[in-house]
Amino acid sequence: MNATIIGTGSFLPAYKLTNRELSTMVETDNEWIVTRTGISERRIQKSGDVADMASNAAIKALDNAGINPKDIDLIIASTSTPDYLFPNCASIVQKITGADNAACFDISAACSGFIMALSAAKAYIEAGMFKKVLIVCSEKMSGITDWKDRSTCILFGDGAGACVIESSEHDGIKSVDLHNDGKLGGVLTAKRNENIVMNGQEVFRFAVKKVPETINTLLEKESTDVKDIKYFILHQANVRIIESVAKRLGTDMNRFPVNLSKYGNTSSASIPILLDELNRENKLHAKDLLVFAGFGAGLNWGSILVEWNCRKS
Ligand code: COA
């Protein structure tokens, strides 16, 4: 059996924290933030839990897939900002969505969480253990942001994205390439009960080197060319990182959708939020080849080749 994506959903909290408002909080300005990052505003969850955002996104993905929550047999939640040490976020999503027959666990892989969760879903489905998997990535980055540190507080935002994956004859999640280098872990950390601490330049250098590497490895493995890919859906951290990846892959930006100007870096939620936007805007069609690529704290990085087959698109 193969695995394929059959539905997507996302949720963004209503409050928009603009660059203008941020510049009343720390010494910065709209032009600096837009020029250096591409971000104009980000969403902030003023009240409610991470699991509430997750459940909102999950319900939309289940609806998009046309799946009864009771038919889900595994929920994988990805978050770096869980509401509780336990129960895990996936269990709370189960309670809220009524996916009573699902096994539930969370993964912690920071901004690469969606890539790791999708790889796990593929492996479980292909091993024959589960048939319908709900992945939900939900992040309240505002809760671990140092609002006095202008080098990090401009970057992050809150939000959630979800996907339903099903066993299928269609080989929808074709190939995976995953990496981690724990020796570099110190450049991007958030210790328990503390805020994000980051060496931005180190992270930038790492991302622009490793993301093209993993994409090239992935494409070589599948004998696929860069020009065969409809969209490269990258983790939304900084538009300059995405531009650099496009350049290093020898292609142009029109195949790299970007929504970070509206949401900033929503960590593991960024890829499924963007995927959901593309799906709902009918920009994805059967047989389109997509590359998802993530990178983040660990440091970790990886990519996945997908052939789109979402019946609702
Ligand atoms: N507003 C105005 N000035 C700022 C600023 C802000 N928000 N943040 C930093 N600066 C200043 C710095 O103090 C520095 O001033 P100096 O030259 O007087 O010392 C100057 O701008 C340049 O800082 P620098 O850190 O070199 O900027 P940069 O071009 O590397 O951009 C980041 C900083 C954080 C935007 C960039 O490094 C980045 O995006 N890195 C990747 C981070 C990331 O994606 N993390 C998540 C990964 S999942």
Side-chain angles (χ1 to χ4, degrees), residues 26-29 32-33 36-37 111 150-152 154-156 188 198-204 235 237-238 240-241 265 295-297:
V26 283
E27 199 183 330
T28 189
D29 59 79
W32 193 97
I33 302 172
R36 301 287 180 121
T37 71
C111 299
R150 67 179 181 171
S151 70
T152 55
I154 57 161
L155 297 173
F156 297 98
L188 178 52
M198 179 182 71
N199 181 331
Q201 288 184 1
E202 286 288 328
V203 175
F204 195 101
H235 169 48
N238 184 322
R240 290 192 294 133
I241 292 176
N265 177 345
F295 59 90

Side-chain angles (χ1 to χ4, degrees), residues 181-254:
D181 186 349
K183 295 187 294 302
L184 300 176
V187 304
L188 178 52
T189 60
K191 214 168 174 186
R192 189 194 302 255
N193 299 325
E194 292 179 18
N195 291 323
I196 298 167
V197 178
M198 179 182 71
N199 181 331
Q201 288 184 1
E202 286 288 328
V203 175
F204 195 101
R205 269 195 290 274
F206 146 79
V208 299
K209 181 165 185 285
K210 294 300 185 184
V211 175
E213 266 178 31
T214 176
I215 292 175
N216 279 326
T217 304
L218 182 81
L219 295 183
E220 269 166 35
K221 210 159 42 175
E222 288 293 309
S223 305
T224 304
D225 196 85
V226 165
K227 66 177 174 356
D228 300 328
I229 305 301
K230 171 92 175 271
Y231 290 125
F232 294 87
I233 303 177
L234 265 51
H235 169 48
Q236 303 285 295
N238 184 322
V239 74
R240 290 192 294 133
I241 292 176
I242 298 172
E243 286 165 354
S244 170
V245 172
K247 197 167 162 198
R248 285 174 194 227
L249 290 174
T251 184
D252 51 54
M253 276 296 283
N254 60 19

Side-chain angles (χ1 to χ4, degrees), residues 25-252:
M25 298 160 61
V26 283
E27 199 183 330
T28 189
D29 59 79
N30 179 55
E31 199 203 331
W32 193 97
I33 302 172
V34 171
T35 312
R36 301 287 180 121
T37 71
I39 299 166
S40 298
E41 58 191 34
R42 66 291 289 145
R43 301 297 179 92
I44 304 294
Q45 190 191 31
K46 289 280 192 183
S47 63
D49 282 343
V50 170
D52 296 328
M53 291 194 289
S55 300
N56 273 305
I59 289 164
K60 290 181 188 168
L62 289 163
D63 182 57
N64 185 238
I67 292 286
N68 184 324
K70 304 241 177 320
D71 291 336
I72 293 292
D73 39 30
L74 174 65
I75 302 174
I76 307 174
S78 159
T79 183
S80 296
T81 56
D83 303 304
Y84 299 91
L85 292 176
F86 47 83
N88 58 28
C89 181
S91 298
I92 307 170
V93 171
Q94 176 187 43
K95 183 173 75 176
I96 296 173
T97 59
D100 300 335
N101 299 311
C104 293
F105 66 83
D106 286 10
I107 60 162
S108 166
C111 299
S112 295
F114 176 71
I115 299 292
M116 303 297 172
L118 192 57
S119 315
K122 170 182 164 66
Y124 275 118
I125 287 172
E126 289 181 357
M129 258 180 94
F130 297 109
K131 287 194 165 57
K132 289 183 173 55
V133 179
L134 170 66
I135 292 175
V136 58
C137 304
S138 185
E139 307 280 8
K140 186 169 180 160
M141 302 305 286
S142 60
I144 55 167
T145 296
D146 178 354
W147 293 102
K148 295 193 180 71
D149 176 9
R150 67 179 181 171
S151 70
T152 55
C153 75
I154 57 161
L155 297 173
F156 297 98
D158 303 341
C163 271
V164 181
I165 326 296
E166 185 178 58
S167 68
S168 159
E169 282 177 13
H170 174 77
D171 186 14
I173 304 171
K174 297 177 90 62
S175 201
V176 170
D177 182 61
L178 303 178
H179 301 273
N180 200 91
D181 186 349
K183 295 187 294 302
L184 300 176
V187 304
L188 178 52
T189 60
K191 214 168 174 186
R192 189 194 302 255
N193 299 325
E194 292 179 18
N195 291 323
I196 298 167
V197 178
M198 179 182 71
N199 181 331
Q201 288 184 1
E202 286 288 328
V203 175
F204 195 101
R205 269 195 290 274
F206 146 79
V208 299
K209 181 165 185 285
K210 294 300 185 184
V211 175
E213 266 178 31
T214 176
I215 292 175
N216 279 326
T217 304
L218 182 81
L219 295 183
E220 269 166 35
K221 210 159 42 175
E222 288 293 309
S223 305
T224 304
D225 196 85
V226 165
K227 66 177 174 356
D228 300 328
I229 305 301
K230 171 92 175 271
Y231 290 125
F232 294 87
I233 303 177
L234 265 51
H235 169 48
Q236 303 285 295
N238 184 322
V239 74
R240 290 192 294 133
I241 292 176
I242 298 172
E243 286 165 354
S244 170
V245 172
K247 197 167 162 198
R248 285 174 194 227
L249 290 174
T251 184
D252 51 54

